């Protein structure tokens, strides 16, 4: 069974940095796109950043220039480096991976990021 486990969330002051990690395990033969989403209280889940198998990236406008997504295919792991954090970045951050030829979507359990002003 495929599992995605996130780590690295926490409480940080505005202007600070955090690095999220998401490691995949289980019957993983081919991870295609990977991404980070976030959901703030009372809001819909939104895409923050994504990365293809060959490293092409895309970002939400709100995080461009502050967040960097990367991946280590040998470790089935995706990272999100978050710099210059703002209170509006406060949310639960979820890792997502598209796996296999059917591009099945898997989610992590989420990790809380709280940015204080």
């Amino acid at each position: 069974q495929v599992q995605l486990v996130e780590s690295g969330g926490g409480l940080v002051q505005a202007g600070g940095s955090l690095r999220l990690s998401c490691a995949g395990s289980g019957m993983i033969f081919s991870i295609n796109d990977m991404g980070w989403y976030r959901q703030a209280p009372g809001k819909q889940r939104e895409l923050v950043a994504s990365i293809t198998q060959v490293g092409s990236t895309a970002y939400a406008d709100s995080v461009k220039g502050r967040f960097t997504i990367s991946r280590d295919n040998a470790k089935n792991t995706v990272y999100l480096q978050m710099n210059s954090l703002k209170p509006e970045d406060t949310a639960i951050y979820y890792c997502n991976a598209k796996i296999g030829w059917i591009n099945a979507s898997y989610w992590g359990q989420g990790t809380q990021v709280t940015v204080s002003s």
Side-chain angles (χ1 to χ4, degrees), residues 2-105:
V2 174
Q3 280 193 315
L4 299 175
V5 179
E6 297 117 335
S7 61
L11 173 64
V12 65
Q13 288 189 331
S17 298
L18 284 173
R19 189 189 193 214
L20 306 183
S21 299
C22 171
S25 63
M27 300 291 287
I28 296 176
F29 299 105
S30 176
I31 300 181
N32 304 315
D33 292 359
M34 302 186 81
W36 288 95
Y37 291 71
R38 67 186 180 188
Q39 187 166 18
K43 294 189 177 181
Q44 289 190 329
R45 190 174 296 189
E46 63 174 355
L47 177 64
V48 175
S50 63
I51 185 167
T52 68
Q53 195 176 55
V54 296
S56 296
T57 60
Y59 297 91
D61 288 343
S62 59
V63 306
K64 280 181 182 176
R66 300 188 297 122
F67 290 11
T68 302
I69 189 171
S70 60
R71 65 189 284 174
D72 184 333
N73 291 333
K75 296 181 179 179
N76 292 329
T77 299
V78 63
Y79 306 95
L80 186 68
Q81 177 67 43
M82 304 185 294
N83 299 328
S84 303
L85 282 160
K86 304 176 180 179
E88 51 263 43
D89 294 318
T90 295
I92 300 175
Y93 283 70
Y94 297 91
C95 168
N96 177 266
K98 304 291 195 299
I99 297 174
W101 67 276
I102 61 171
N103 239 16
S105 183

